[in-house]
Amino acid sequence: MSASPRLRRFFSLWLRRPGVREGVDLEIEHHLRERVDELIAGGMTPGEAHSEARRQFGDIEGVRDTCQRIDRSRMRRDRGEEIMSSIMQDIRYALRSLAKAPAFTAVVVLTLAVGIGANVAMFSVTDAAMLQALPFPEPERLVLGRATFNSFPNPMASGPDYYDYRDQSGSFETLSAILGFTMDVTLTGGDEPERISGTFASVDLFPALGVEPPAGRLFSADEAEQGSPPAAIIGSGFWLRRFGGSPDAVGQTITVNAFPVTVVGVLPTDFHFLHEVDLWLPMQDGGSFTGVRRFHNWLMVGRLKDGVTLQQAQSEVDVISRRLAEAYPESNETKGLLLTGLQEALLESYRPSLLMLMGAVVLVLLIACGNVASLLLARASTRRTEVAVRAAMGASASRIARQLFTESMVTALGAGVLGTVLALWFQGMILSFVDIGELGITEIGMSAPMLAFALALSLVTALVFGGMPALSGTRVDLVDDLKGAGKMSAGRGGTRMRSTLVIAQVALSIVLLIGSGLLIRSFARLRGVDPGFRTENLLTAEIGLAGAQYAEAEARIQFFDGIVEEIHAIPGVLGVGAITHLPIRDPGNNVRSWDPDNPPPNPNDIRYAFLRPVFPGYFDAMGIPLLAGRDLEDTDTPESPLVVAINESMAEYLFPGESPLGRRVAVDHGGEEPTLYEVVGVVGDVRMSSLAQDPRYATYFSYRQRPAGTMQIAIRTQGDPFSLAAPLRAAVWDRDRDIPVERLATMEEVVSRSISGRRVIMVTLTLFSSVALFLAAIGLYGVLAYYVSRRVREIGIRVALGASSSSVVHLVLRRGLTLVAIGIVLGVGGAFAATRLTQQLLYGVEATDPLTFITVSVFFAGVALVASLLPAWRAMRVDPMEALQAE
Amino acid sequence: MTAPTVNLLQGTLEFLILKTLGSGESRHGFAILRWIRDATDGALIVEEGALYPALHRMERRGWLRSDWGLSEKNRKSKYYELTVKGRKQLEKEETDWASYVAAVEKIAAATDGR
């Protein structure tokens, strides 16, 4: 009597399936009805049956809830499995699809991988430099203190000022000092004398930075006093080199500049702070560099007390600065101390370059995405048939879009993986010119944030380049597309999108090209700067005297006298010069100098001049013109009157309109009274600190009157400068085996090295913009080729109706150049907007330099013309007969 | 006279349901209940409150498949039938049950013969 299962199922097809809640209710209701029927059949009244049925069932609500819960969880799980399986299906399909066109896929993946890789590398460097904290405990409490003069950071402060700030301020847990530069000292006692680097730091610096020495100890408080046994802490590199990393190094005595010091501790391998040196010596009150309030050699590093803000500390420090200005008007009147967060301060110098490069790589990636999107759009039109078939078989538009998008995702993720591998390689490149070694970062490698960024970037990239084709791909016109007529009469959407893409690519490329154009001009300007001397065929070397035998000035004079004479005798030597600091490479060591007969009313207005003892013949050897008077000579001895030669700018400043010869210059050597010198010569200006810095004031002293222990030798050679290296070494060692000849380099190398940072940035940006240009040109070509291929019929008709081939070419070129023109205008606008950022990196060139803008635009237009030629030529070759017959 | 109703462990209930549907026919919940009652001559009366949760759990486990249909009285109701997985489970449980019964019988027999 019950309907057969088959029949039941047949009926069930017609029933709407209830949802979870409704279904459970129905099921229970049905059960109760059956039960009621049974009970009525057994003799109960309907009313009794109803309540009895309910009673017998038990907890209806509970059962209902339980069954609903179970059903809901089942549906969730089933849906999840369904989604997973359709995603897996999409992925499999995507992989098959990509494999069917290996060349295309390879090009796309490579293009994206380079773009993503460059971005991931830049991100990891920026992350390490800017976002990661310094590797010290509680780095946010560390501040850098820089002395300011009339609010301009010097940045170095003087020893006595430092002691006063330290003793008078209450904002700091510790206020330490570190020498603002490093020195080269000679280490003797081994097989060969070795030049090592060293610097001073106050004894509380390392504890403030939380340094834990792997051997020995840090400086003790009494090592800050003069007279305590000389102690030194050595760097880990030096420890490994000299002592093989053995703990026996602690307690050993080494001889530095003929002075014995005991090694008391070693710094850990991963410790990097401001200077990479072999030797750290404790700052001692009354010791080196600490005596004179007017001599500024120290940077301050402070750790703020808990709860004290930078602003509070700054206010307190300002009060102290005012106090010092009142107490010591001659030296402190315009001085202040600027406190900056340590990390921020260290970033200041390379933030502009980092930001610029970040911007550049993002642009390159966008352009690459544009190209990939364009390629995909082109390919989408050839896949119309395939998509139409799928649509006819029941795939919804969203399913198709999802599948196309999965292809983009798989491609992007593949590119992301490859790009991350490439990024490791790019990192090295970036680190080579953005020197963030100061922050303790020498290499970066893989990191979790970097991987997360790579993943996110790949996904975004997929969205950017995949979104458009996926959208346009779903606009299927079934009938047309199945017939294959899509190629001929495809909708205008594809072309418009691609045209917009090309315009965007052109604009971005223009921005990059202008940027690199400006950098190129700037670098050329810098390279072309006249340093004030002749740089060719000049060998330079450093000779540092050490040893008790050179303690007397006479001994030093004798040594260098002899050496210079010997070098002169070497064949191939045209001239020999000796100076304490090599121009371009060795800035610093400037002291207050003024006209004692006409001193500025306010001592704080006294300017600083470079203090440079030289040997006679220096100017001649270097090719520095002697403008008036004479060179310093052998007759300028300690017994004869003290003399100087000054540079042109200083003569103009101190003695405007007059001849400085015979006038006097007062130089503050740190004593109570300045020393007076007579001006005997005026020489041409030389760039002392760098090519980019204007020449300032320089005073040249007779070596005999100020004999230093370390001299830079400059040898003008006839032929290859390096051919003189061996004879030079021989000559020096002949006289004294313990004197090393260091820093051998040609002057040209020295100059080149000094601008290498800028060069690398310029080269990198030019590389980026070339890639961008290339990609944009390809994009343009692609769009125009597509344009022509779609208009074959139209062109055929035109030609058949008598259009000349030149008018057909015009048609194509006009389209191409219109796109390019719009792009150029947008790009130029963008470059203008970015002026403020780029100006910081330029030398001698305005960020809005019209010559660059125009040259770049014209150049790009030329490239665009070439890119348009091939499609235009193709258009010209269209055979009207073929075109009209093709369908 | 009604036989004492026995409280069934959940596992046994599921076995009974599997067995009920073992013939291949699809049944709704009430029919399953009735079949068990009839087949045991009233000895086993399944608590109704336990039946439906069990049926839903077994469906989630993949042993049963459900669908909506019209009963003989033209009422909409949910019909259950065994899946392939469910059939395998039934075979397994039959084997287990047989082993269990045999083991218990052995002990029962052993006690008697002491």
Side-chain angles (χ1 to χ4, degrees):
Chain A
M1 206 164 53
S2 53
S4 74
R6 280 244 172 82
L7 202 54
R8 265 213 297 275
R9 213 154 280 134
F10 176 70
F11 276 126
S12 78
L13 268 178
W14 293 87
L15 294 176
R16 182 184 54 80
R17 273 164 189 70
V20 166
R21 193 147 42 136
E22 206 188 331
V24 170
D25 284 347
L26 270 177
E27 201 178 5
I28 295 179
E29 201 191 298
H30 174 257
H31 179 105
L32 290 172
R33 284 235 195 93
E34 294 284 317
R35 172 66 75 209
V36 162
D37 285 353
E38 236 182 32
L39 291 172
I40 290 178
M44 279 193 194
T45 67
E48 283 173 340
H50 270 103
S51 34
E52 177 61 16
R54 287 196 129 70
R55 193 196 62 82
Q56 274 186 18
F57 195 93
D59 177 12
I60 299 183
E61 283 306 314
V63 167
R64 176 177 308 165
D65 285 341
T66 308
C67 290
Q68 280 177 6
R69 230 183 341 105
I70 296 172
D71 279 355
R72 265 195 273 267
S73 85
R74 176 173 60 89
M75 309 217 58
R76 269 198 311 266
R77 188 200 59 197
D78 286 349
R79 190 164 301 139
E81 276 171 10
E82 211 182 289
I83 293 178
M84 266 314 291
S85 90
S86 83
I87 289 180
M88 286 309 298
Q89 194 186 36
D90 277 350
I91 293 181
R92 268 196 302 269
Y93 191 82
L95 287 171
R96 259 205 314 266
S97 234
L98 291 173
K100 265 192 283 196
F104 180 82
T105 310
V107 166
V108 168
V109 168
L110 269 176
T111 312
L112 291 175
V114 169
I116 293 179
N119 275 279
V120 171
M122 260 328 285
F123 171 81
S124 68
V125 170
T126 310
D127 176 52
M130 289 181 147
L131 300 175
Q132 299 272 357
L134 294 172
F136 307 119
E138 292 180 85
E140 65 282 359
R141 289 206 285 146
L142 291 172
V143 297
L144 185 71
R146 289 175 287 186
T148 61
F149 287 79
N150 287 319
S151 307
F152 285 102
N154 183 37
M156 294 186 282
S158 66
D161 283 343
Y162 158 68
Y163 285 120
D164 283 335
Y165 282 109
R166 186 194 64 178
D167 296 337
Q168 294 178 26
S169 78
S171 315
F172 299 100
E173 213 172 272
T174 52
L175 185 61
S176 323
I178 181 172
L179 203 62
F181 48 88
T182 63
M183 310 165 298
D184 287 324
V185 292
T186 308
L187 184 70
T188 48
D191 305 318
E192 269 186 23
E194 192 188 339
R195 290 289 271 182
I196 59 173
S197 55
T199 193
F200 284 91
S202 60
V203 299
D204 51 4
L205 178 69
F206 294 139
L209 297 178
V211 176
E212 282 171 17
R217 59 171 174 83
L218 300 176
F219 291 128
S220 61
D222 39 84
E223 270 149 6
E225 310 290 330
Q226 269 198 309
S228 65
I233 293 182
I234 59 178
S236 62
F238 180 64
W239 184 37
L240 287 169
R241 265 197 342 263
R242 187 80 175 192
F243 299 100
S246 145
D248 295 338
V250 179
Q252 280 199 41
T253 304
I254 55 178
T255 313
V256 168
N257 274 2
F259 199 68
V261 282
T262 314
V263 176
V264 299
V266 180
L267 292 174
T269 354
D270 57 1
F271 175 77
H272 307 277
F273 186 68
L274 280 185
H275 306 310
E276 292 293 324
V277 288
D278 301 311
L279 195 72
W280 294 81
L281 297 166
M283 178 187 191
Q284 293 180 333
D285 194 348
S288 312
F289 302 109
T290 61
V292 183
R293 200 176 283 276
R294 300 187 303 277
F295 285 8
H296 308 92
N297 298 299
W298 301 93
L299 293 168
M300 297 192 224
V301 177
R303 181 177 279 284
L304 293 170
K305 278 196 184 138
D306 245 332
V308 175
T309 66
L310 189 68
Q311 288 75 14
Q312 288 169 334
Q314 181 72 66
S315 313
E316 190 195 26
V317 150
D318 289 341
V319 168
I320 301 175
S321 303
R322 278 197 292 277
R323 216 181 285 156
L324 290 174
E326 272 171 33
Y328 310 100
E330 331 79 52
S331 56
N332 284 53
E333 190 176 312
T334 56
K335 266 198 260 184
L337 186 69
L338 175 68
L339 298 178
T340 330
L342 184 60
Q343 183 154 21
E344 194 191 315
L346 294 173
L347 285 175
E348 271 172 18
S349 54
Y350 41 77
R351 182 180 279 134
S353 331
L354 268 184
L355 287 180
M356 184 207 73
L357 286 173
M358 276 248 290
V361 282
V362 168
L363 289 184
V364 169
L365 180 61
L366 284 177
I367 295 176
C369 284
N371 255 35
V372 171
S374 209
L375 284 173
L376 286 176
L377 278 172
R379 203 165 91 114
S381 69
T382 63
R383 291 176 71 186
R384 274 199 141 60
T385 324
E386 170 201 333
V387 171
V389 168
R390 297 188 77 207
M393 298 242 303
S396 65
S398 69
R399 186 80 172 72
I400 295 177
R402 206 177 76 203
Q403 199 280 311
L404 288 175
F405 187 68
T406 311
E407 250 182 68
S408 309
M409 286 281 289
V410 168
T411 315
L413 285 173
V417 167
L418 182 60
T420 309
V421 170
L422 283 177
L424 291 174
W425 183 51
F426 288 149
Q427 264 176 9
M429 263 171 52
I430 300 175
L431 282 179
S432 71
F433 54 77
V434 181
D435 177 26
I436 49 180
E438 288 178 339
L439 287 182
I441 298 165
T442 44
E443 62 170 54
I444 302 181
M446 205 64 91
S447 70
M450 181 175 159
L451 287 173
F453 178 78
L455 181 63
L457 188 63
S458 307
L459 295 179
V460 168
T461 307
L463 276 172
V464 168
F465 77 75
M468 283 180 283
L471 282 177
S472 86
T474 58
R475 265 188 229 113
V476 283
D477 185 343
L478 274 184
V479 176
D480 271 347
D481 292 344
L482 282 172
K483 277 206 302 199
K487 239 202 274 193
M488 289 305 148
S489 57
R492 295 197 48 200
T495 316
R496 212 187 353 243
M497 253 190 240
R498 293 186 73 191
S499 304
T500 319
L501 275 176
V502 167
I503 293 176
Q505 287 180 305
V506 169
L508 294 177
S509 305
I510 291 283
V511 171
L512 284 176
L513 282 170
I514 289 180
S516 69
L518 287 172
L519 281 183
I520 291 176
R521 280 205 79 194
S522 162
F523 186 78
R525 272 275 157 81
L526 195 57
R527 199 73 189 73
V529 160
D530 178 13
F533 56 93
R534 293 195 339 261
T535 56
E536 71 281 0
N537 286 351
L538 202 58
L539 178 69
T540 68
E542 180 180 272
I543 298 177
L545 298 179
Q549 66 268 44
Y550 299 111
E552 291 293 318
E554 187 53 43
R556 297 200 289 275
I557 296 172
Q558 237 187 30
F559 177 88
F560 278 113
D561 245 345
I563 273 293
V564 166
E565 208 180 297
E566 243 188 81
I567 298 175
H568 257 125
I570 302 176
V573 168
L574 297 176
V576 181
I579 184 173
T580 48
H581 296 72
L582 202 63
I584 306 286
R585 193 189 62 194
D586 303 330
N589 201 25
N590 37 18
V591 290
R592 292 152 87 240
S593 315
W594 65 98
D595 177 2
D597 303 315
N598 197 7
N602 187 344
N604 284 288
D605 289 337
I606 293 178
R607 302 274 183 94
Y608 285 75
F610 290 107
L611 192 158
R612 298 289 186 261
V614 296
F615 246 78
Y618 169 77
F619 303 118
D620 193 47
M622 293 289 283
I624 300 172
L626 181 65
L627 301 173
R630 63 167 178 85
D631 190 0
L632 301 154
E633 307 197 336
D634 291 330
T635 48
D636 294 316
T637 64
E639 291 79 40
S640 62
L642 297 176
V643 294
V644 286
I646 61 177
N647 69 339
E648 198 180 346
S649 298
M650 190 167 183
E652 258 311 299
Y653 173 66
L654 287 183
F655 313 105
E658 308 168 4
S659 164
L661 300 177
R663 301 294 299 272
R664 297 184 307 168
V665 169
V667 177
D668 174 12
H669 290 298
E672 286 282 323
E673 294 290 325
T675 313
L676 300 178
Y677 296 83
E678 183 189 330
V679 177
V680 295
V682 180
V683 293
D685 284 343
V686 167
R687 306 230 166 193
M688 289 299 199
S689 4
S690 75
L691 284 180
Q693 280 262 0
D694 285 337
R696 302 215 289 261
Y697 309 132
T699 42
Y700 298 92
F701 298 76
S702 162
Y703 178 79
R704 288 167 208 284
Q705 293 177 343
R706 289 195 69 80
T710 303
M711 295 297 277
Q712 315 294 326
I713 308 287
I715 307 173
R716 177 81 58 192
T717 62
Q718 192 142 47
D720 171 31
F722 258 101
S723 60
L724 271 305
L728 174 62
R729 275 222 168 84
V732 171
W733 283 354
D734 239 3
R735 292 196 158 255
D736 188 338
R737 288 248 120 215
D738 273 344
I739 309 278
V741 174
E742 296 276 315
R743 299 171 100 181
L744 272 167
T746 64
M747 194 66 212
E748 283 177 328
E749 266 169 24
V750 169
V751 171
S752 176
R753 246 180 260 154
S754 75
I755 48 178
S756 67
R758 286 181 190 257
R759 177 188 300 120
V760 180
I761 294 189
M762 172 195 81
V763 167
T764 309
L765 190 59
T766 308
L767 187 68
F768 285 163
S769 35
S770 311
V771 169
L773 176 67
F774 179 66
L775 290 176
I778 290 188
L780 179 67
Y781 165 78
V783 159
L784 288 179
Y786 185 68
Y787 174 81
V788 166
S789 76
R790 281 195 328 119
R791 283 203 165 43
V792 166
R793 270 186 87 204
E794 177 191 331
I795 294 173
I797 293 175
R798 283 187 188 223
V799 170
L801 290 180
S804 67
S805 39
S806 71
S807 77
V808 169
V809 165
H810 259 227
L811 179 72
V812 177
L813 287 185
R814 201 181 50 209
R815 177 156 190 88
L817 291 180
T818 313
L819 294 177
V820 167
I822 301 177
I824 290 181
V825 167
L826 289 175
V828 164
F832 259 110
T835 356
R836 235 167 33 123
L837 180 61
T838 39
Q839 188 64 70
Q840 294 170 309
L841 297 160
L842 300 176
Y843 171 83
V845 173
E846 283 295 312
T848 53
D849 179 43
L851 180 61
T852 311
F853 276 62
I854 293 174
T855 314
V856 163
S857 308
V858 167
F859 174 67
F860 196 95
V863 170
L865 190 65
V866 169
S868 320
L869 280 179
L870 190 53
W873 187 75
R874 285 247 178 83
M876 218 171 63
R877 306 297 292 330
V878 165
D879 178 3
M881 292 303 293
E882 275 181 35
L884 289 170
Q885 281 171 6
E887 188 53 13
Chain B
M1 169 60 180
T2 49
T5 55
V6 177
N7 272 339
L8 297 171
L9 296 172
Q10 177 158 332
T12 321
L13 173 58
E14 291 178 353
F15 177 46
L16 292 178
I17 294 173
L18 287 172
K19 193 72 187 157
T20 309
L21 297 172
S23 64
E25 223 181 291
S26 62
R27 295 191 160 86
H28 56 68
F30 194 80
I32 294 174
L33 213 59
R34 211 172 29 207
W35 194 89
I36 294 176
R37 200 179 55 194
D38 294 345
T40 61
D41 291 326
L44 279 184
I45 298 178
V46 176
E47 191 191 325
E48 292 159 43
L51 174 70
Y52 287 99
L55 285 170
H56 284 239
R57 274 196 199 98
M58 290 165 78
E59 186 181 6
R60 186 171 64 177
R61 276 246 199 68
W63 297 343
L64 303 183
R65 184 186 308 128
S66 76
D67 203 354
W68 287 91
L70 290 176
S71 72
E72 3 5 305
K73 300 178 194 171
N74 258 351
R75 288 183 183 144
K76 239 193 225 178
S77 63
K78 207 174 194 187
Y79 286 82
Y80 292 91
E81 64 180 11
L82 276 189
T83 61
V84 169
K85 229 172 148 190
R87 189 162 294 283
K88 285 211 176 77
Q89 182 68 18
L90 173 61
E91 284 165 15
K92 175 176 174 297
E93 293 210 15
E94 277 176 333
T95 320
D96 287 351
W97 180 254
S99 318
Y100 175 66
V101 165
V104 172
E105 282 208 337
K106 274 206 193 116
I107 295 185
T111 319
D112 270 343
R114 198 166 26 115

